Amino acid sequence: MVKREIDIAVIGGGAAGLAAAIKAKEKGIENIVILERNEELGGILPQCIHTGFGLRYFKENLTGPEYISRFIKKVEDLRIESKLDTMVLEITPDKKIIAVNSVDGLLELRAKAIVLAMGCRERTRGALGIAGTRPAGILTAGTAQRLMDIEGYMPGAKVVILGSGDVGLIMARRFVMEGAKVEAVVEILPYASGLSRNVVQCLEDFNIPLLLEHTVTSIHGTDRVEAVTVAKVDANWRPIQETERTIECDTLILSVGLIPENELSQTAGIVLDPATGGPVANELMETSVQGIFSCGNAVHVYDLVDYVTQAGELAGESAARHVLNELPSLRKKIALKAGDNVKSVVPQIISGEEPVALHLRVKKPMRNVKVKMGNLSIPKRVVRPPEMVVINLTEKALEKLEKRDELEISIEEETEP
Amino acid sequence: MKKKEARVITCIICPVGCRARLTMKNGKITEIEGLECPRGEEYVRRELEAPVRDFFTTVRIKGAVIPVLPVRSTQPIPKDKIMDCVLELANVVVDAPVQAGEIIAKNPLGLGVDIVATRDLDRVKER
Ligand code: SF4
């Protein structure tokens, strides 16, 4: 077995991991290794051929491949080592990493700091429990995207999409552009789960029906999908039987949510937040295990890659400071708890002493709200589940904040005076 | 008789996502309701008069590790030209290596934009 001592190991070579590695290198850390499962760097972005990336970070409207290639080039220019086709099997709490690939065989790395940047994966049919047969032709949106835009296969000709997450909406448009017919996008909620920009440009532009408050109740077909049954749901998400109808199709695409990938965090004994599915992180992106940091969609699912990059940079900088023995431990710890209409908040622990950006996911859309955090009250025009709510706690806001060990963040609709 | 019509356009400029209800006469807007700021009105007028979209798709590539190359237009194109442009590029096959930014189709359909590669793809050695 190959054994090596390194300064920083970055697990995952997507947007978060690349940003972390670059930042750590720029902070003067020499011995960094990126471990990547795929045969190329870039994570999900090489298959996101649409535009809309980088508007915040680069102030440019880039496609996924264009966005990520800037970071891949930088990794190469800085001569940061990356091991591709490499599967990490285990991380221990004392920062030993067991990985495997076909060149080194089994690999044991001892790192002074680790950055977890594994990203997220898609919920599958198994997580939904849809009745019916198990034919071919049921794919997650991301798998369909990879088949179409990386591997050059056409996954289907007559398509129903379940769930209106962004990747599902994007794929609705791609299917139509490649000559398929998209019969409907079926969403159980009364509003789309994806960004409104995608609803307009991917569905409305191509006259694809969006069936809100509907779900797929059954899948038909033996070898290949032949049809699905859809029905309207009541307020408790129960299908209303009289509204059932059958839509003929050969493909069912699932776009029903993303889950942070954290099996490795668990082997390292890291505390996870049930609300996000990712590690509990403090404002320096440090997890519950000292010297292990986390960032990007492994922590919680972001709406924009630009934020993922920023989180990666922060985690990379913290990891570098840890290696250099410059990382302060938080003198004060304020635990942030999700209150009314807040699904999750990251970071979960702040010091209350340094300015920090909080990222919130809300449960339901609301207009004219106040984000309440202890004695602070921050107005917002709208909050919507697809869009991350960003709260910048500036120095001034922190001065005003009454610091307690625990603070609840809740979102309340303003009542008319 | 002059025809009155109604249309709804969602403003996508910011996350508020206002839904503009338009009243129109002979294809001209007579009234806009439901927008919360002037940026929305500008967007709605553009959407009605000359909507444009970013354009991107893939073309076939030979001699690279993967069989498709992602491409985009250098500028947005008219919305109603998206499918024509897709068809125009349907039979394009390029040879690796290709560099991001390289022109794959020059001024297709006379739209005044070029179609460029959005990633590098090296040539792989034949086995
Ligand atoms: S009209 Fe103004 S406030 Fe409303 S969505 Fe458009 S930009 Fe946002």
Side-chain angles (χ1 to χ4, degrees):
Chain A
M1 177 154 68
V2 182
K3 289 193 183 189
R4 265 176 73 183
E5 309 259 326
I6 58 171
D7 289 331
I8 299 178
V10 177
I11 319 296
L18 297 183
I22 290 166
K23 200 65 181 191
K25 182 86 184 201
E26 286 173 348
K27 287 274 150 191
I29 306 299
E30 281 304 319
N31 201 351
I32 303 170
V33 179
I34 302 170
L35 300 167
E36 169 57 48
R37 187 164 59 183
N38 199 6
E39 32 331 302
E40 66 174 347
L41 292 177
I44 201 70
L45 283 144
Q47 72 184 54
C48 302
I49 64 162
H50 51 283
T51 51
F53 301 92
L55 288 164
R56 274 160 214 262
Y57 192 83
F58 291 116
K59 307 275 179 285
E60 280 179 69
N61 184 19
L62 303 173
T63 62
E66 290 170 318
Y67 183 89
I68 204 63
S69 68
R70 296 189 177 189
F71 295 91
I72 296 173
K73 288 223 165 80
K74 194 111 193 234
V75 162
E76 287 164 1
D77 290 348
L78 290 170
R79 299 181 181 282
I80 298 171
E81 180 183 352
S82 48
K83 286 191 174 291
L84 303 178
D85 250 325
T86 301
M87 183 80 184
V88 177
L89 303 173
E90 193 189 343
I91 298 173
T92 66
D94 58 351
K95 298 188 275 294
K96 191 174 81 184
I97 297 161
I98 308 290
V100 64
N101 65 33
S102 58
V103 179
D104 304 297
L106 212 52
L107 201 65
E108 184 187 299
L109 300 175
R110 283 181 176 278
K112 292 186 186 135
I114 296 176
V115 178
L116 303 173
M118 291 85 70
C120 59
R121 61 171 169 247
E122 299 174 279
R123 291 179 72 201
T124 58
R125 179 184 180 184
L128 298 178
I130 309 169
T133 52
R134 306 185 66 83
I138 307 168
L139 296 85
T140 60
T143 301
Q145 189 179 43
R146 183 173 172 96
L147 286 174
M148 207 186 281
D149 293 335
I150 298 270
E151 299 184 13
Y153 296 108
M154 190 61 187
K158 224 167 179 300
V159 182
V160 170
I161 299 178
L162 175 60
S164 57
D166 284 309
V167 194
L169 300 178
I170 298 273
M171 286 318 290
R173 171 174 59 191
R174 284 296 294 142
F175 268 109
V176 173
M177 284 174 71
E178 294 295 333
K181 178 136 197 332
V182 177
E183 298 292 336
V185 173
V186 182
E187 169 60 57
I188 199 163
L189 296 170
Y191 46 84
S193 309
L195 304 172
S196 52
R197 160 177 100 192
N198 287 333
V199 174
V200 171
Q201 299 192 345
C202 301
L203 302 187
E204 290 174 14
D205 276 6
F206 296 93
N207 298 316
I208 299 168
L210 172 61
L211 305 179
L212 296 174
E213 299 183 281
H214 276 71
T215 193
V216 169
T217 56
S218 183
I219 300 169
H220 313 280
T222 40
D223 294 332
R224 178 83 196 189
V225 174
E226 284 163 17
V228 296
T229 304
V230 301
K232 204 169 165 24
V233 296
D234 64 18
N236 301 314
W237 290 6
R238 271 192 302 259
I240 306 168
Q241 225 175 8
E242 306 81 75
T243 65
E244 277 193 346
R245 67 188 162 101
T246 304
I247 303 178
E248 265 180 48
C249 59
D250 60 23
T251 305
L252 176 67
I253 297 294
L254 304 176
S255 179
V256 288
L258 303 166
I259 315 163
E261 198 168 323
N262 280 287
E263 284 75 10
L264 292 172
S265 315
Q266 281 168 304
T267 67
I270 288 167
V271 177
L272 300 184
D273 177 352
T276 56
V280 171
N282 70 20
E283 67 192 21
L284 301 165
M285 299 316 281
E286 191 166 26
T287 67
S288 63
V289 177
Q290 218 190 6
I292 303 188
F293 303 82
S294 188
C295 53
N297 288 344
V299 177
H300 66 160
V301 177
Y302 285 81
D303 53 347
L304 299 178
V305 70
D306 309 55
Y307 293 137
V308 170
T309 297
Q310 283 168 356
E313 289 177 340
L314 179 55
E317 176 167 356
S318 295
R321 290 168 74 193
H322 175 86
V323 172
L324 299 168
N325 278 321
E326 284 173 6
L327 193 72
S329 50
L330 302 192
R331 279 196 294 143
K332 248 185 126 66
K333 280 186 189 163
I334 303 173
L336 302 179
K337 297 277 171 251
D340 285 345
N341 199 24
V342 177
K343 204 169 138 210
S344 59
V345 51
V346 169
Q348 290 89 342
I349 300 167
I350 62 169
S351 65
E353 291 174 338
E354 294 291 325
V356 58
L358 304 181
H359 289 121
L360 271 59
R361 284 275 185 186
V362 301
K363 292 181 184 155
K364 55 176 202 270
M366 278 188 183
R367 295 177 74 84
N368 298 324
V369 297
K370 285 232 149 78
V371 182
K372 296 241 162 105
M373 174 176 170
N375 61 326
L376 293 186
S377 172
I378 300 139
K380 288 259 166 198
R381 287 269 289 289
V382 273
V383 293
R384 296 182 64 236
E387 281 133 21
M388 194 91 85
V389 178
V390 184
I391 306 288
N392 282 309
L393 288 181
T394 57
E395 234 158 273
K396 242 169 107 193
L398 288 170
E399 249 167 57
K400 253 182 62 189
L401 178 71
E402 285 167 20
K403 293 163 189 99
R404 287 186 236 126
D405 292 345
E406 195 179 300
L407 281 174
E408 192 180 84
I409 303 181
S410 57
I411 295 181
E412 290 163 23
E413 231 147 10
E414 239 176 291
T415 41
E416 301 286 328
Chain B
M1 251 292 280
K2 297 199 168 146
K3 272 256 285 298
K4 260 197 172 181
E5 6 159 17
R7 257 191 81 174
V8 178
I9 294 180
T10 310
C11 177
I12 57 165
I13 299 293
C14 91
V16 176
C18 298
R19 288 176 75 78
R21 293 177 300 278
L22 313 183
T23 319
M24 303 197 308
K25 221 171 172 178
N26 298 327
K28 289 233 155 39
I29 304 174
T30 54
E31 208 189 324
I32 306 181
E33 279 177 298
L35 291 175
E36 290 182 17
C37 85
R39 286 195 300 163
E41 190 168 324
E42 199 190 309
Y43 171 80
V44 166
R45 289 194 186 277
R46 194 162 17 115
E47 269 297 283
L48 212 65
E49 280 154 25
V52 293
R53 295 290 183 264
D54 291 337
F55 177 83
F56 35 80
T57 185
T58 58
V59 297
R60 292 273 145 187
I61 183 165
K62 276 194 183 148
V65 284
I66 55 174
V68 285
L69 170 74
V71 297
R72 69 175 294 178
S73 60
T74 45
Q75 292 293 321
I77 66 168
K79 182 175 124 181
D80 58 6
K81 290 286 186 283
I82 292 175
M83 290 312 286
D84 296 338
C85 203
V86 168
L87 290 175
E88 186 74 11
L89 295 173
N91 297 319
V92 171
V93 182
V94 296
D95 261 310
V98 169
Q99 294 241 300
E102 210 173 299
I103 294 177
I104 301 303
K106 212 163 173 46
N107 194 19
L109 306 168
L111 291 171
V113 304
D114 293 330
I115 303 297
V116 298
T118 58
R119 70 171 287 175
D120 298 349
L121 276 175
D122 292 339
R123 185 154 194 100
V124 288
K125 292 198 187 75
E126 319 260 331
R127 267 175 284 181

